Amino acid sequence: MSRAAGRAVRDAAEPGGQTRPPIRQPARPIRELADPVAAQIAAGEVVERPAAALKELIENAADAGAERLQIEIAAAGRERIAVHDDGCGIAEHELALAFRRHATSKLERVADLSRLASYGFRGEALPAIAAAAGRVRMTSRPRGAARAARIEFEDGVSLGLRPAARAEGTTVEVDDLFANQPARRAFLAGPRAERAAILRTATDAVLARPGASLRLRLDARSPLAHEPAAGDAESQLRAAAASVFNNRAAERAAWLERRSEDGAVALDGLAGASDDARRTRDGLRLFVNGRPVHDRRLSFAVQEAYRGWLAAGAFPLCVVRLTVPAEAVDVNIHPAKTEVKLRDPGAAFGLIQRAIREALARESYRSPPRLGARSHEAEQPDLPDQAEPGSTTRPVFDGTGPRVALPTPVPRAAVLAEPRLGGWEQASSAVRDERLPPLRMVGQLHRTFIIAEGPAGLVLVDQHGAHERVVYERLLAAPEDAARALQPLLEPVLINLDAAEAASWSAARERLDGLGFRVEPFGERTLRVRAVPAALQTADAERLLRGVLADLGDEPAEPERFDRAAASAACHVSVRRGAVLDPPAMAALLRDLERCRQPHTCPHGRPTLVEIAADDVLRRFGRK
Amino acid sequence: MRIQTSQAALQHGLGVVARAVAARHSLDQLRHVHLEADDDGVRLTATDTEIAMICSIDAVVSEPGAITIPHRFINDLVSALSSSEITIDVADNSLVAQIRASDANESSINGMSPTTYPNIPGIGDGDWIKIVARDLRDALRHVVFAAATDDGRPVLTGVHFRFDGDKMTLAAADGFRLAVYDMNVATELSERLEITVPARALTELERLLTDDDAAVEMYIHADRTYVRFHVRAVQMTAQLIQGNYPSYDQLIPSEYQTRAILPGSVLQGGVRSAAVFARESSGIIRLIFSGESDDQSITLTARAEELGNHRGRVDAAIEGENSRIAYNVRYLQDVLQVASGPAVSEIAMETSGPSNPGVFRVVGRDNYVHVLMPMFVQWEDA
């Protein structure tokens, strides 16, 4: 018995991990499950929703070398899923075998399992689908064969083989997918969610194999029609991204290409511009050996790489395709194969981070005009000049009075993907060195903002965010810079840690050391703080360190990545919202911010300032 | 209640207690001033619950009584009045203060019942200490600035007072620096006594002190929860900070490798120029002591990221090895500010290498020492 088969039997004995009370009926002898029962149990695992069935069918087509796929979906996949491909086809005498469990052409020996290069290998998908669905038909004509043949199943029972007409390739039609699984059917999400999942599956397929054309007809709409582009991997993937996302995003994304030092792991993909960031993780697509995966750690690596480029709560648009030696990855963790286990996750993690950061630093993204930047991009043609809808302003006074607009408190990601407003500045990305023009301090607003006058109008500066940015840049000044000095304490401070803090410290100690903390273990779960980074200018080492440890958690990170630790430390010493600042302090803060390299965002990615154009104010007063 | 007073006296009293008014507090009473008239005269009281100020003013009490009224309101009114005589009337069971000025201005201000006003702790069992105003002022000027401003360790936000016989020692520290000042007081206590007074209260006290021989009376309540200072007509009460103050004596280095002596104002001038640059980065100012027979000087350098560099030189008498040290310019300027006052001619800077605490003293006085932790920086030739 192969390993896969053995696993399937174990799975069958413990159906899907469902927690039913054990049935104690010793009178009944143990026997092997009848085949249809086992098939239905397996179906529950493999085909949990229409999108999962579609995924299996698309992967089969890919394994058959298909270059054109057509997909038809009706009623969000409940009524009908049909996949037509132009692959190598299945010989007539093998059609029946394709529907037997663990029958597959792709895996012959246990040893092959560790060198999987094909998508399918378990041989579970087709029999599972056939067992679940009301009707399944497979029509296939192998290359060079004189005619096609069709096999048909109704409620899992074969109706036999018959000749059919079809061009070379294979068609699989699945009607009434969950006819024999009423429970599964009841637990399906609504049609909207199912359609979204189907679209995700189809778009993943395009990004994984941009060289094949794919057309999706989904409930009377055609949301995806991808035609491959000629050229190298980059132009092919850009074409795929254009089909899946949009042309602009695909065009301005940065190409990623990198190999690990030992050459074993290769990475390619596209890193979307910060202006194409999204509110959900939907634009973040990860593939390992062509297989779409949902891996928390790898997604985290991508998001981490974008730190500082994106606002808090925004997710990058990013396609990352890893190629690892087949034996360095285990995809056989779950029948749906969306989880993978990499033998060396750290290498992949580092590779992703380096590739993306390098690309981001290299690319000069087109970004909306921002305070202090040369305004050569002000005439971007497709930006609406005076956008009112989706506005980031809100009236403070209603009715007849003058409309005074304030920024909504949390614009962040919500505005990222939307067109910018003429007079409003939403600093979301700060890739370039964009110094501010001189700002004249006017006053304080709500004990939260500094009101300042800039060359083009009124500027509101978030006092906490601005201070964070100033301290952050001082902290991260290059080690040879004088700014990265230590301020030792007159008397070392002892701090007792709880278990969580101790774990954070062991994960973060190198990074803290690099920032200029001098902290050493002093007995069990006690630290002795001897010095703090001079840039922080606080003697309250205990509160600072506890705050930083709580922020960092025990999430591992590369030891040379100080930025999160620096952002956290900067946050804990910066002036709070609600603090009353005197004019000299505000003027000094503005002066410090003017000297920052990326003054438009705080280290967490939130805007530090918004600008209200004088023209806008004049217009509101009817003077222009 | 019915009192007659002068506009000047009332304005002065309102000005003194204004420092204790919690102008932004949500509790009405704390934004008010409490007026009280009895056989002892008229007293104005304000408190923000951390400190309380009571100011007695010259007034004729025709009828005793009390009321609390919004401080800002009456203060603005009294400042605007030009007449010299003011009468304040509060009818029995009324919460309205009628304010009549001799120039025919007549106003009424709505107040609140005096019974809702917070109780200011009075005098009871405890210790009294008499100090000369000028001496106390000098001590506070040398010490208070070194107290911590962030409240991570509350005791460090206060100034530690230690009474031993007729000796009083004030100390303040914030983790990077320590200031200690010894002085004699006119009262000898029977036993050793230690308290920690909030630095903020002492800043207010310093404003009240005059540069003369007037006596200041300090009252420390027996349960050591509050302290009260009597400065002429003003009484200031402050909550004491509880908790053990760290023992600091061992933090004062007893030896040095290099000592520089120079007029405080000269060093201050040199630092002021370097500070322009130092402030732009992380506040680093480097001091290089040269004790060669033909060059006895301190070189001060500072660098402003991307803006430029500064190098200055001041003559100084250097004793011991050549040495160097880097300080945060803010802390350096703080100590020079006080240690180079008008009464000071020369200061002594002692160091024991770039990574050991430095010491500042006033030449000719052994009652003040300031310890400052240097910054660890990269030295160009190191």
Side-chain angles (χ1 to χ4, degrees):
Chain A
M1 190 188 275
S2 74
R3 192 203 290 179
R7 187 187 150 87
V9 170
R10 278 204 313 281
D11 288 349
E14 301 157 24
Q18 285 167 20
T19 53
R20 273 188 206 167
I23 302 166
R24 291 193 175 276
Q25 286 173 315
R28 291 197 186 173
I30 297 173
R31 62 187 160 199
E32 230 176 308
L33 286 169
D35 212 40
V37 181
Q40 288 208 6
I41 290 168
E45 283 194 342
V46 183
V47 193
E48 52 189 4
R49 60 197 302 189
L54 176 63
K55 174 174 175 293
E56 298 294 341
L57 299 180
I58 292 176
E59 287 184 355
N60 281 347
D63 284 342
E67 283 174 2
R68 307 190 67 80
L69 273 93
Q70 275 195 40
I71 302 165
E72 296 159 42
I73 308 281
R78 283 173 164 214
E79 281 177 14
R80 181 175 165 84
I81 302 171
V83 176
H84 312 274
D85 71 50
D86 65 347
C88 64
I90 301 169
E92 186 172 338
H93 65 276
E94 288 175 343
L95 273 179
L97 206 56
F99 285 88
R100 290 189 59 88
R101 301 190 62 220
H102 309 304
T104 172
S105 57
K106 302 161 193 166
L107 190 69
E108 280 176 8
R109 296 182 307 275
V110 174
D112 290 345
L113 200 56
S114 63
R115 288 200 300 269
L116 276 172
S118 61
Y119 288 106
F121 56 88
R122 294 168 72 108
E124 284 182 317
L126 280 176
I129 293 170
R135 178 186 299 268
V136 175
R137 270 184 298 191
M138 182 190 256
T139 313
S140 189
R141 179 171 162 191
R143 272 183 205 143
R147 57 171 194 159
R150 168 184 295 167
I151 190 165
E152 189 164 350
F153 289 83
E154 221 175 71
D155 299 327
V157 179
S158 169
L159 299 184
L161 211 58
R162 72 178 80 154
R166 199 206 181 284
E168 287 178 359
T170 306
T171 295
V172 183
E173 297 157 278
V174 180
D175 294 337
D176 202 357
L177 179 58
F178 293 113
N180 298 314
Q181 292 194 310
R184 182 69 71 188
R185 172 165 222 155
F187 280 101
L188 278 184
R192 240 175 104 168
E194 294 303 336
R195 274 198 291 271
I198 286 168
L199 190 57
R200 168 86 190 215
T201 303
T203 50
D204 275 348
V206 169
L207 293 169
R209 296 180 68 238
S213 90
L214 189 149
R215 298 182 164 271
L216 171 65
R217 181 112 185 117
L218 178 57
D219 290 347
R221 286 170 49 235
S222 301
L224 183 64
H226 170 66
E227 286 303 327
D232 56 3
E234 177 180 349
S235 22
Q236 294 211 348
L237 186 58
R238 280 193 197 276
S243 305
V244 171
F245 305 113
N246 58 65
N247 287 331
R248 259 183 78 174
E251 219 171 87
R252 60 186 174 188
W255 172 245
L256 306 172
E257 196 168 9
R258 213 182 157 102
R259 216 163 235 294
S260 63
E261 274 160 26
D262 60 0
V265 184
L267 176 152
D268 70 1
L270 289 171
S274 46
D275 288 350
D276 292 312
R278 313 213 148 185
R279 275 171 269 183
T280 65
R281 284 192 180 79
D282 195 47
L284 205 171
R285 307 292 181 99
L286 296 166
F287 301 88
V288 173
N289 292 349
R291 204 181 289 282
V293 296
H294 299 270
D295 186 279
R296 215 178 62 87
R297 221 182 125 86
L298 296 182
S299 321
F300 180 70
V302 175
Q303 285 168 252
E304 274 292 289
Y306 269 92
R307 172 171 296 281
W309 268 270
L310 295 187
F315 296 97
L317 187 150
C318 191
V319 180
V320 173
R321 306 190 299 184
L322 285 170
T323 310
V324 303
E327 62 268 19
V329 60
D330 184 2
V331 287
N332 194 18
I333 293 173
H334 185 269
K337 299 171 204 150
T338 54
E339 290 172 39
V340 294
K341 200 176 200 168
L342 294 173
R343 194 157 295 163
D344 185 4
F349 196 92
L351 188 65
I352 289 176
Q353 294 222 323
R354 278 189 291 276
I356 295 177
R357 291 197 78 88
E358 199 180 84
L360 290 177
R362 192 180 61 224
E363 259 341 87
S364 77
Y365 289 127
R366 288 163 63 80
S367 55
R370 59 176 67 252
L371 193 57
R374 276 175 301 129
S375 55
H376 60 275
E377 291 188 341
E379 60 276 9
Q380 276 189 36
D382 45 352
L383 276 185
D385 187 37
Q386 278 301 309
E388 279 301 325
S391 168
T392 55
T393 65
R394 64 186 162 89
V396 173
F397 304 110
D398 284 318
T400 53
R403 273 163 53 93
V404 177
L406 288 178
T408 46
V410 194
R412 303 189 199 173
V415 296
L416 279 178
E418 290 164 8
R420 300 292 148 71
L421 303 181
W424 285 86
E425 174 61 36
Q426 287 301 335
S428 63
S429 63
V431 178
R432 305 267 99 189
D433 198 359
E434 290 168 335
R435 310 282 173 133
L436 294 178
L439 300 175
R440 184 177 70 86
M441 197 278 297
V442 176
Q444 196 183 22
L445 177 70
H446 296 330
R447 298 195 207 172
T448 303
F449 303 106
I450 300 169
I451 308 171
E453 183 187 332
L458 184 64
V459 180
L460 294 179
V461 179
D462 174 26
Q463 61 190 39
H464 177 66
H467 195 192
E468 273 183 320
R469 165 56 68 185
V470 169
V471 177
Y472 177 77
E473 291 204 357
R474 281 185 184 160
L475 266 177
L476 287 186
E480 64 273 15
D481 281 357
R484 201 138 159 185
L486 309 189
Q487 175 64 69
L489 300 168
L490 194 52
E491 198 179 20
V493 173
L494 297 183
I495 305 178
N496 291 309
L497 301 182
D498 64 24
E501 288 169 331
S504 302
W505 186 69
S506 23
R509 62 186 291 185
E510 285 172 322
R511 283 172 288 159
L512 294 178
D513 206 52
L515 281 182
F517 284 94
R518 288 296 171 267
V519 181
E520 61 205 20
F522 191 76
E524 193 160 336
R525 281 215 199 145
T526 302
L527 295 182
R528 182 159 67 176
V529 186
R530 306 180 64 87
V532 295
L536 296 179
Q537 304 200 328
T538 177
D540 196 354
E542 174 163 3
R543 187 159 56 178
L544 170 66
L545 202 63
R546 278 193 204 284
V548 171
L549 291 179
D551 287 352
L552 290 182
D554 55 1
E555 198 74 62
E558 293 170 66
E560 70 270 24
R561 289 290 308 281
F562 305 127
D563 45 3
R564 273 189 71 209
S568 163
C571 178
H572 286 282
V573 300
S574 294
V575 288
R576 302 271 140 196
R577 238 185 103 171
V580 180
L581 299 182
D582 56 13
M586 289 191 281
L589 182 52
L590 290 181
R591 228 166 32 115
D592 288 343
L593 188 64
E594 283 163 21
R595 273 200 300 277
C596 285
R597 291 186 171 87
Q598 297 185 5
H600 293 88
T601 51
C602 81
H604 303 96
R606 293 182 202 103
T608 50
L609 50 86
V610 294
E611 189 183 16
I612 302 168
D615 283 355
D616 229 37
V617 178
L618 288 171
R619 210 172 284 121
R620 282 170 192 275
F621 280 106
R623 303 246 171 220
K624 188 159 180 170
Chain B
M1 181 180 103
R2 184 187 179 89
I3 59 169
Q4 289 99 38
T5 182
S6 71
Q7 188 265 353
L10 189 55
Q11 193 177 358
H12 169 75
L14 288 169
V16 167
V17 301
R19 306 293 308 183
V21 174
R24 293 174 185 261
H25 206 282
S26 57
L27 212 62
D28 284 340
Q29 289 91 328
L30 301 187
R31 299 195 304 264
H32 281 215
V33 58
H34 179 256
L35 256 76
E36 192 178 17
D38 57 23
D39 296 344
D40 295 335
V42 173
R43 286 179 305 283
L44 307 180
T45 304
T47 179
D48 57 12
T49 70
E50 283 176 58
I51 62 170
M53 294 271 208
I54 302 173
C55 184
S56 303
I57 58 169
D58 283 336
V60 178
V61 178
S62 322
E63 217 176 288
I67 190 169
T68 85
I69 46 180
H71 178 273
R72 193 176 61 89
F73 207 43
I74 184 161
N75 192 42
D76 288 354
L77 173 68
V78 171
S79 318
L81 294 176
S82 56
S83 67
S84 54
E85 293 299 312
I86 291 177
T87 308
I88 302 179
D89 264 315
V90 181
D92 285 349
N93 301 320
S94 155
L95 294 177
V96 179
Q98 303 284 348
I99 296 158
R100 257 189 301 275
S102 52
D103 63 0
N105 273 306
E106 211 175 310
S107 329
S108 65
I109 296 179
N110 296 331
M112 289 174 72
S113 163
T115 58
T116 62
Y117 199 78
N119 269 327
I120 311 299
I123 305 293
D125 284 345
D127 296 285
W128 286 93
I129 295 127
K130 254 193 187 149
I131 315 169
V132 176
R134 180 189 293 123
D135 297 351
L136 182 58
R137 199 165 90 131
D138 194 51
L140 296 177
R141 225 167 52 83
H142 279 78
V143 169
V144 174
F145 69 92
T149 48
D150 43 27
D151 49 7
R153 290 176 74 189
V155 286
L156 293 188
T157 63
V159 172
H160 184 251
F161 283 65
R162 185 170 64 194
F163 299 95
D164 199 355
D166 65 349
K167 202 170 127 187
M168 178 169 91
T169 305
L170 273 63
D174 73 354
F176 300 134
R177 55 187 172 174
L178 165 72
V180 182
Y181 188 102
D182 289 323
M183 63 187 283
N184 291 318
V185 290
T187 319
E188 192 164 330
L189 289 183
S190 53
E191 54 188 54
R192 218 174 130 101
L193 170 59
E194 295 182 44
I195 55 168
T196 308
V197 184
R200 194 214 138 196
L202 296 174
T203 305
E204 298 303 340
L205 176 66
E206 206 183 320
R207 287 172 197 277
L208 299 174
L209 295 174
T210 45
D211 190 15
D212 56 28
D213 295 334
V216 175
E217 284 179 299
M218 181 178 183
Y219 165 75
I220 303 163
H221 190 255
D223 67 5
R224 312 295 184 229
T225 54
Y226 65 93
V227 65
R228 185 158 167 169
F229 295 92
H230 288 220
V231 185
R232 297 185 314 280
V234 183
Q235 298 154 32
M236 191 193 77
T237 307
Q239 302 276 353
L240 293 179
I241 301 174
Q242 303 300 320
N244 288 325
Y245 199 84
S247 62
Y248 51 82
D249 291 324
Q250 82 282 0
L251 297 178
I252 304 170
S254 50
E255 297 172 339
Y256 59 87
Q257 288 169 7
T258 311
R259 171 188 263 180
I261 292 179
L262 72 169
S265 52
V266 170
L267 181 58
Q268 209 177 2
V271 170
R272 198 180 295 127
S273 315
V276 172
F277 290 79
R279 275 197 302 262
E280 299 298 321
S281 55
S282 281
I284 303 166
I285 183 165
R286 294 159 202 252
L287 285 71
I288 301 151
F289 302 89
S290 163
E292 309 302 328
S293 54
D294 56 343
D295 175 23
Q296 297 250 324
S297 68
I298 304 173
T299 302
L300 304 155
T301 70
R303 193 150 70 103
E305 200 55 39
E306 295 180 20
L307 290 175
N309 299 307
H310 174 84
R311 185 178 200 89
R313 184 181 169 283
V314 291
D315 288 332
I318 309 288
E319 174 192 329
E321 309 164 14
N322 286 354
S323 176
R324 59 194 182 182
I325 197 160
Y327 288 119
N328 183 315
V329 70
R330 188 159 60 94
Y331 300 143
L332 186 58
Q333 285 190 304
D334 280 349
V335 57
L336 292 181
Q337 187 74 33
V338 298
S340 57
V344 177
S345 56
E346 289 190 313
I347 61 157
M349 265 196 293
E350 300 168 358
T351 66
S352 304
S355 52
N356 291 314
V359 175
F360 296 80
R361 299 178 193 275
V362 176
V363 173
R365 288 171 69 170
D366 60 356
N367 68 333
Y368 180 60
V369 60
H370 185 284
V371 183
L372 179 55
M373 204 59 196
M375 294 171 91
F376 289 0
V377 298
Q378 311 261 335
W379 290 90
E380 266 140 36
D381 55 0

